[in-house]
Amino acid sequence: MDILEIRKDIDDIDQKIVSLLNERFSLSYKIKEYKNKSDYPIIDKERESQIISTLSKSIISPMKLEYLKNIYSEIFSASRDLQKETKVAFFGLEYSYTHIAAKKFFGSSSLFFANDTIEDVFKMVQNKNALFGVVPIENSTEGSVNNTLDLFLDSEVKIFGEIYLDIHHNLISLNDDIKELKKVYSHPQGLAQTRIWCHTNLKNVEFLEATSTTKAVELAKLDKSIGAIASFMSAEKNNMNILAKNIEDKPNNQTKFLIISLMEPKKAKKNKTSIVFTIKDKVGALFDMLLPFFENNINLTKIESRPTKRKAWEYVFFANFIGHKDDEIVKKAMHELEKKCLFLKILGSYPLEEF
C-alpha cells in the first residue's frame, strides 16, 4: 500500500469513529436527565476507571495504555460537559502545577478559573461560583501545604477527590544565558524543592518568593536578568527559554492535590476519609484518640497537628484513614472518637487514588 491508500483507510476509520462518538454523546446526554432527577454526582471516577480497565484488555500494539487514557480523559470530560457545565477553580495562574493537575483530573472541556490564593479557591466553591476547586495539599519532599489544611477548619467545603502529579521543575527565562541571571522567582515550594540544585548552579543569584510558579514567570517576562522556576508548559506558553530541565532535588518529586466541592462523590470500592479533631488537655489524650482506630481495625494512614491560631499552644489534628464514613466500623469509630475529643469534623470520604 502506498501512503495515499493508507490515508484513505485512516479517513474511513475516522468517519466511523466520529459516527460512534455521535452515538456515545447522545447516550451521555440522556444520562443528564437521570443525574438531574436523582442528585447523582456529575463525576463518577470509579465508573471511568472501570471503562479504562475493560478497554485496556483490547489494546493491541502499537496502541499503548497511555494513549487510551489520554483519549478517554477527553471523552469523559466532553460527556460531563454535555450533562452539566463544570466550573473548576484552581490555585495559581494558567499552566501552574495546580492547573495541570486540574486538567488531568477533569479533562479540557471543563471551565477553569485561576485564583491568586488558596483561600480564593475555597471562597469560589463555598459561594457556589465554581462546582469544584483544586488546591495543593502535600509534596513528597516538603510535606504538607499548611494553608490548605487551615482553611478546612472554618469552611463547609468537602474533599471530593485527590490526584497525584509528578513535579518537574525547570529554570526558565527570556535570557538564553544562565550566567546573566541576577534574580530567580518561584513559589516557596518550588524554591524548597530545588534548593540544592539552585545553590550549586546559581552562585550569585538572589532567590525570591512569588505567590505561584506562573506568577514567577510573569515577573521573569519583565526583565532578561530574571529567571523563574516553573513548569515546562509555562515556558512553552510564554515563548521563554528553558535554561535547565528537571532541576528538582528529588527525582521522585510528587505533589498531591485535593479536589474540593460542596458535593459528595459516589462511594467507591476503595475509599479514604479525612477528619480534623481537637483533644482535651490531659495526659494520654492523643493515645485515647487513636484507640478507636485500633479497636475497629481501621488503617490510619496519616496524622499531623497544626496550631489552632485561636489560643497559644492549642492544636488541631488532621488524620486520613482507609474507609468510608458510611461504613459501619467507621461510624462506630467516629462515635467513640467524638466522645473523647472536644471537636470532630469529617472533611470528606472520597475514592482512594492509586499513585
Side-chain angles (χ1 to χ4, degrees), residues 200-215:
T200 301
N201 296 277
L202 301 170
K203 297 289 186 182
N204 299 309
V205 172
E206 183 182 4
F207 299 100
L208 299 165
E209 293 184 357
T211 54
S212 69
T213 54
T214 40
K215 184 63 177 178

Side-chain angles (χ1 to χ4, degrees), residues 2 10 56 58 61 77 103 117 127 148 158 164 168 181 197 205 210 219 222 254 261 279-281 298:
D2 63 22
I10 289 175
S56 66
S58 301
S61 181
S77 180
K103 293 191 76 171
T117 68
N127 297 332
T148 299
K158 301 287 187 180
Y164 292 81
H168 297 295
L181 296 183
W197 188 95
V205 172
L219 294 167
L222 300 175
Q254 274 194 333
S261 180
I279 63 176
K280 299 174 182 178
D281 185 14
I298 293 173

Side-chain angles (χ1 to χ4, degrees), residues 9-27 71-72 75 78-79 82:
D9 287 346
I10 289 175
D11 290 343
D12 291 342
I13 292 171
D14 284 341
Q15 287 295 330
K16 293 175 183 176
I17 289 173
V18 171
S19 178
L20 289 171
L21 284 174
N22 284 332
E23 289 186 44
R24 193 188 195 286
F25 288 137
S26 293
L27 293 171
I71 291 166
Y72 268 84
I75 289 175
S79 296
L82 279 173

Side-chain angles (χ1 to χ4, degrees), residues 122 125-126 152 155-159 260-262 345 347:
F122 272 76
V125 176
Q126 180 71 55
F152 277 112
S155 176
E156 294 178 19
V157 303
K158 301 287 187 180
I159 301 174
I260 60 174
S261 180
L262 292 174
K345 182 179 181 182
L347 302 180

Side-chain angles (χ1 to χ4, degrees), residues 36-143:
N36 287 341
K37 291 178 182 177
S38 62
D39 198 29
Y40 197 92
I42 192 67
I43 295 180
D44 187 345
K45 280 293 179 178
E46 186 169 39
R47 163 68 174 158
E48 293 177 6
S49 296
Q50 288 172 348
I51 291 172
I52 295 296
S53 178
T54 300
L55 293 178
S56 66
K57 297 171 185 175
S58 301
I59 291 175
I60 300 174
S61 181
M63 178 69 166
K64 296 179 181 179
L65 178 59
E66 180 185 358
Y67 303 159
L68 182 75
K69 287 181 176 179
N70 290 339
I71 291 166
Y72 268 84
S73 173
E74 295 307 321
I75 289 175
F76 295 148
S77 180
S79 296
R80 289 195 298 268
D81 186 63
L82 279 173
Q83 294 164 6
K84 186 171 184 176
E85 186 178 63
T86 308
K87 294 181 178 180
V88 181
F90 66 92
F91 165 61
L93 302 175
E94 193 176 20
Y95 298 113
S96 64
Y97 292 110
T98 313
H99 183 216
I100 295 169
K103 293 191 76 171
K104 182 180 177 182
F105 190 91
F106 291 99
S108 299
S109 294
S110 297
L111 295 176
F112 297 96
F113 298 89
N115 289 265
D116 290 335
T117 68
I118 294 173
E119 184 177 12
D120 289 337
V121 177
F122 272 76
K123 285 180 179 178
M124 278 200 74
V125 176
Q126 180 71 55
N127 297 332
K128 300 182 179 180
N129 293 319
L131 199 58
F132 298 100
V134 183
V135 291
I137 185 64
E138 185 178 10
N139 177 261
S140 58
T141 303
E142 293 300 313

Side-chain angles (χ1 to χ4, degrees), residues 298-353:
I298 293 173
N299 183 10
L300 188 65
T301 59
K302 183 177 181 179
I303 183 168
E304 65 180 294
S305 63
R306 289 283 299 144
T308 62
K309 297 184 179 180
R310 296 168 182 169
K311 182 179 177 182
W313 310 113
E314 184 178 70
Y315 293 88
V316 293
F317 291 84
F318 291 87
N320 296 333
F321 58 86
I322 304 302
H324 193 277
K325 64 183 179 64
D326 292 334
D327 295 340
E328 288 305 318
I329 59 169
V330 173
K331 286 181 179 179
K332 183 181 177 184
M334 292 300 99
H335 178 68
E336 293 170 3
L337 180 61
E338 192 169 26
K339 289 188 294 184
K340 296 172 181 284
C341 63
L342 294 172
F343 164 80
L344 171 65
K345 182 179 181 182
I346 297 177
L347 302 180
S349 291
Y350 45 96
L352 178 65
E353 174 75 7

